[in-house]
Amino acid sequence: MKIAVLVKQVPDSDEIKMDPEKGTMIREGAGNIVNPLDLNALEAAIALRKEYGGEVVTFSMGPPQADIALRETLALGADKAFLISDRFFAGADSWATALVLAKSLEKAGPFDLIIAGEKATDGETGQVGPEVAAMLNIPLSTYVSSLLVTGDFLTVKRTVEEGYETQRIKMPCLLTVLNDMNEPSMPTLSGKKSARRAEITRWGMDELMLKKDDIGLNGS
């Protein structure tokens, strides 16, 4: 089973500043961490690989320092990592971000399953995962707290306002998961050492054959 995990590096600070003209976040000066719910997504992917074999590949769109977040995913057990970075991606809203990620997944794929956290702590829109699924034209399930693989199908439990909902969804598909999906692991010392030496593939606008009008602020 080939699984992709979407990862975002987010500010580790309560003092987030906004650019009043662009309406975008000012990230300079703030510490950064892997978005917590994305760690639940990674843990779920690694558990599936352990049971069914295959590989786990992480993707992050962000500035060059997002390399740190991807190396953390490698330390935790991911097999490969892709940093999608270009100055023309700056200022992207969820739609422009999803477009870049969808193109990256198409280029690196195909994948049997794509997993993301339900939302990011710096935006909390919960839109990127569903938008990526729409752009890839694959089935989607959100607010997932558990899953079971049966052949080419997943049976997932979703948290909804009234309680829980069970959904059967055919792979390839995309899931966004909640924090009660699992308890993320801690990286091992050997994992950290291996991650420091690992090669991370870097793609920008040209590698993905994207146009400036479709990405960043222009495409938002």
Side-chain angles (χ1 to χ4, degrees):
M1 182 181 292
K2 189 171 181 180
I3 307 169
V5 180
L6 305 183
V7 175
K8 186 176 185 182
Q9 188 182 59
V10 296
D12 184 17
S13 173
D14 293 329
E15 299 179 358
I16 302 299
K17 297 180 180 179
M18 301 295 293
D19 185 317
E21 293 184 3
K22 297 180 180 179
T24 57
M25 188 177 300
I26 300 173
R27 298 178 181 272
E28 290 77 11
N32 295 296
I33 60 172
V34 178
N35 180 54
L37 285 169
D38 297 343
L39 293 176
N40 295 103
L42 177 60
E43 185 72 19
I46 291 171
L48 288 170
R49 182 193 62 195
K50 184 177 180 180
E51 186 168 357
Y52 300 102
E55 65 175 352
V56 174
V57 185
T58 54
F59 292 80
S60 185
M61 189 194 97
Q65 60 264 32
D67 172 277
I68 298 171
L70 286 170
R71 290 193 186 278
E72 183 173 345
T73 69
L74 292 169
L76 288 165
D79 299 294
K80 298 177 184 176
F82 287 79
L83 174 59
I84 316 303
S85 185
D86 196 300
R87 63 189 180 91
F88 293 109
F89 297 158
D93 66 358
S94 64
W95 180 262
T97 298
L99 174 64
V100 171
L101 289 171
K103 291 293 185 182
S104 302
L105 291 161
E106 285 182 331
K107 183 176 174 68
F111 292 95
D112 301 296
L113 177 62
I114 303 166
I115 313 179
E118 184 264 320
K119 62 183 178 181
T121 56
D122 61 348
E124 299 202 354
T125 65
Q127 294 173 347
V128 171
E131 287 171 344
V132 168
M135 292 174 183
L136 294 176
N137 194 30
I138 58 175
L140 163 74
S141 189
T142 56
Y143 306 105
V144 173
S145 56
S146 69
L147 65 88
L148 177 67
V149 179
T150 307
D152 293 333
F153 288 84
L154 297 177
T155 300
V156 302
K157 184 172 81 171
R158 304 179 63 238
T159 300
V160 294
E161 289 184 6
E162 298 80 11
Y164 295 101
E165 176 181 279
T166 300
Q167 182 179 20
R168 191 166 184 260
I169 182 170
K170 193 176 190 303
M171 294 186 286
C173 60
L174 187 149
L175 308 179
T176 66
V177 303
L178 300 174
N179 61 4
D180 52 356
M181 180 81 177
N182 50 47
E183 185 67 32
S185 302
M186 296 294 291
T188 62
L189 180 59
S190 61
K192 289 181 178 181
K193 288 181 177 179
S194 177
R196 281 200 295 267
R197 299 189 300 268
E199 181 178 349
I200 292 178
T201 302
R202 288 167 169 79
W203 287 341
M205 180 181 69
D206 292 339
E207 286 81 3
L208 299 175
M209 294 186 288
L210 290 165
K211 299 178 181 179
K212 293 180 184 178
D213 289 342
D214 297 328
I215 56 179
L217 279 173
N218 291 335
S220 296

